[in-house]
Structure formats: C-alpha cells, structure tokens
Amino acid sequence: MKKIGIVTYHKAWNNGAFLQALAMQMFLETHGFEAYIVNTGIRYKSVVMADTAANEWWREYEKVLADCHRLLHESSEKKYDAIIYGSDEIWNLRSYGANPIFWGYRLNSPRKIAYAPCSGELGMKICFKSPCKALMAAWALNNNYQAISARDDRTKKFIKIFSSREVTECLDPTFLADFTPYKSGNTRGNYIVVYSYGLNAETIKGIREFAAAHDCKIVYTGSYSDWADENPVLDPMEWLNVMFHARYVFTSTFHGCVFSVICRRSFFVVETNSSKVNDLLMRLQLTDRKVRDFNSLPPEVDYTVVQQHLGKQRQVSEDYILSNI
C-alpha cells in the first residue's frame, strides 16, 4: 500500500484549513492509500483581540479545534511514496507560504505533486518586493514537482509568471470527500448561519432585517460576535452539522461558500472581492450569490445545475490526483 504525505495548512485557526486537510486524507484512504498529514513544525500565531470577550472566544475555539486534530493522521516522517502539496494558501509568499517546506523542499519522495494550492492575491509585484522568495518559488515550480495544479485562476496566472508548465485547475479537496456522516439532528430550530471574520455595520443591519423577515435567529460562527443571537464555539465537525441545518447562510469566506454548496444551502456572499471566492462562484455559475443590495437578493440556489458543473470538475480533480501519485 502506497504511503502518501500531505503538506498543507492543517493547524491554522479556522474550520476551512482543518477540513480541507481532513478531506484529502479521507479521499486518499477511500482509494486505498495510507494517508498522513505531514507535521511541518510550523507554529501558527494565535488570534489576539483587544476585546477581552473576543480573546476568550478565540482561546476556547483554539482548544476545541486542537481536540479535533486527533482525526488527522499526523506524521513526522520525512520519506513517502508520494507527497501532495495543498490545498489552501500554501503558496502565499506573504504568509506561511514563504516556508520552503510548502515548495517541495526538505522532504523526500520520488513523486511530488501540487494539488489545488492557492497563492492568495499575489502577482508580479512579489518578484520585486521579495526577490529571494520569488526565486525559491521559480526553482520549485520548474524542478520540484511531477505535476502542478491550482485552485483558482489567479494562482494559475501566478504560476505562469515563473513556469511554462501545464497547470490543471482543481477543486478544493473538500469537494472530494463525503461529509454527510457528520450530519446529525437539528437542535437549534430556525436559524441563519453567518460565517465570517468580521462585518461592517451596513451588512449587519441587512442580515438582521433579513433574519427578522424570515423569523430566523442568527448564529454567528467563524469568529467572535457581540451582535448575533448566538455565537457558539464550535469545532469543525459541530460546525458542519450547523451548516447542514441552516435555513440560509451569509458568508464572506471561501470555505463558507464551499460548505454552503456542499451542504446545499441557500447562501449569500457579502463583503468580499477575493480572487478565490470570485473564481469559485464563476466556475459553479453562482456569481449571482454576491449581495449588492439587501433589497434585491437572489432567489434560491438551483443545485441541480450546480451539481452538473461540480460533477465535471470533481472528475478532473480526482483523475489528476490518482493519475499522478
């Protein structure tokens, strides 16, 4: 049985980072591989807030998220039959992605593939602002990988700055796993999920009015909130169940959009113009989900159409992994 290492942001302080790592592990095990999350040795900075209540919320969240790491098969070994690098923003050179371990260095394997990494909002300017980091990336992209893919079009263009190699666009690995076993009963009643790291006053007002009009309470997840009806500290698996039963979702994050689709929720995207969110919405023909006016929100999502787009891209993504490891 092949032993596969996964190099990714599995200990960053958010649900999406954890769940995408778990999803890749689940996918590989489903296909008969031994899958291990590689211990990169990186210590992610804790979220520190000026508000005492917010700090308490984050410290409790860090505890419950750390408890969930038992679901990941973490390994400190250095040799694998193949190593998958990704997903998430492991190629964001302005962040932890500047660490060489995310670029195919320091670990031994005859096959190294990049699966759906993201470079954030990086472009040509990084070559001038951080030439050493850019040179590291350029060498890696041309020498360290047997196959390269990207999670979004902006990352694909970033790769093309340094290399002329073929780049396959792949889905976030969460789309390759079955999370329905984590769905259990609804104990919260009629509610809206808000998944964000902070919203402005105008958006909060719009969400409150929407919730009142639909007789829903507001369950704020992802970070601290002092305005929602509920702001529970949920581990990623508890959060999944809350997402499965939400009547509506408002989100400003990439994985908020991803799991709205996975859970087939009617969702709305607020306060973001990030490339990765825009790319996902475009690929799934869901660009109408972006809220421009709370008085003219889009209709319910037709998931029959979404699943057609998703099915084709899922096949490309699965084939890319299985044919390259």
Side-chain angles (χ1 to χ4, degrees):
M1 184 182 292
K2 280 188 177 181
K3 184 169 68 174
I4 314 297
I6 303 164
V7 177
T8 188
Y9 283 174
H10 63 288
K11 286 187 175 179
W13 302 116
N14 67 77
N15 293 336
F18 172 84
L19 289 168
Q20 62 84 25
L22 178 64
M24 180 58 76
Q25 177 182 291
M26 292 165 62
F27 173 81
L28 293 171
E29 290 176 344
T30 298
H31 286 83
F33 299 99
E34 285 185 43
Y36 297 94
I37 308 295
V38 177
N39 181 1
T40 60
I42 293 173
R43 299 175 72 98
Y44 295 90
K45 294 179 181 178
S46 294
V47 178
V48 178
M49 309 291 286
D51 183 87
T52 301
N55 263 328
E56 290 176 354
W57 190 97
W58 277 103
R59 298 297 78 76
E60 186 61 28
Y61 175 67
E62 288 176 5
K63 290 178 184 177
V64 300
L65 182 56
D67 287 343
C68 259
H69 286 151
R70 69 186 185 281
L71 298 174
L72 300 177
H73 303 153
E74 196 170 22
S75 170
S76 295
E77 291 188 37
K78 302 297 183 184
K79 293 183 179 180
Y80 300 89
D81 296 312
I83 300 176
I84 295 174
Y85 292 81
S87 179
D88 223 332
E89 290 194 22
I90 63 164
W91 284 356
N92 186 342
L93 292 172
R94 293 197 185 105
S95 183
Y96 297 102
N99 192 307
I101 200 167
F102 292 118
W103 292 90
Y105 302 98
R106 298 180 181 170
L107 297 171
N108 297 318
S109 175
R111 297 202 63 78
K112 296 180 179 180
I113 72 167
Y115 181 81
C118 176
S119 60
E121 301 297 326
L122 292 182
M124 181 66 78
K125 288 182 180 179
I126 194 68
C127 299
F128 306 103
K129 291 185 175 181
S130 303
C132 291
K133 294 178 182 178
L135 283 171
M136 176 190 70
W139 173 265
L141 290 168
N142 287 287
N143 296 281
N144 286 355
Y145 302 104
Q146 276 64 49
I148 298 175
S149 67
R151 196 174 67 178
D152 55 83
D153 187 61
R154 187 177 184 93
T155 299
K156 186 175 182 178
K157 290 176 180 175
F158 171 74
I159 294 168
K160 290 296 184 181
I161 295 172
F162 304 107
S163 176
S164 60
R165 295 180 63 183
E166 180 182 353
V167 180
T168 304
E169 284 195 50
C170 291
L171 291 170
D172 189 85
T174 51
F175 284 118
L176 309 184
D178 178 13
F179 288 103
T180 53
Y182 295 102
K183 181 179 180 181
S184 56
N186 176 14
T187 61
R188 296 180 184 276
N190 198 34
Y191 62 92
I192 291 168
V193 164
V194 179
Y195 185 63
S196 176
Y197 305 129
L199 299 170
N200 66 38
E202 184 179 353
T203 301
I204 292 171
K205 179 176 178 290
I207 293 174
R208 278 176 160 168
E209 291 176 350
F210 181 91
H214 291 80
D215 193 27
C216 292
K217 62 184 175 183
I218 300 170
V219 179
Y220 194 102
T221 65
S223 64
Y224 174 74
S225 167
D226 60 1
W227 60 269
D229 298 305
E230 296 182 15
N231 182 213
V233 177
L234 304 171
D235 69 36
M237 319 326 290
E238 293 170 329
W239 177 73
L240 270 175
N241 189 54
V242 168
M243 288 290 287
F244 270 119
H245 292 290
R247 185 172 175 190
Y248 299 97
V249 176
F250 285 85
T251 185
S252 61
T253 78
F254 174 79
H255 280 111
C257 295
V258 166
F259 280 97
S260 293
V261 173
I262 288 173
C263 299
R264 301 195 181 197
R265 298 300 88 193
S266 189
F267 72 104
F268 308 99
V269 182
V270 294
E271 289 190 32
T272 183
N273 196 37
S274 80
S275 297
K276 58 187 179 183
V277 170
N278 290 341
D279 183 84
L280 176 68
L281 296 179
M282 182 180 68
R283 289 167 69 182
L284 298 183
Q285 300 295 300
L286 289 170
T287 53
D288 68 330
R289 305 323 296 176
K290 295 191 78 171
V291 175
R292 295 169 179 83
D293 182 355
F294 273 90
N295 293 316
S296 57
L297 294 174
E300 298 280 328
V301 178
D302 183 352
Y303 276 105
T304 302
V305 175
V306 173
Q307 290 303 316
Q308 291 174 354
H309 295 295
L310 198 55
K312 295 175 183 177
Q313 294 175 51
R314 185 182 288 116
Q315 191 63 57
V316 170
S317 301
E318 292 180 352
D319 290 347
Y320 171 85
I321 296 172
L322 298 175
S323 65
N324 283 300
I325 60 174

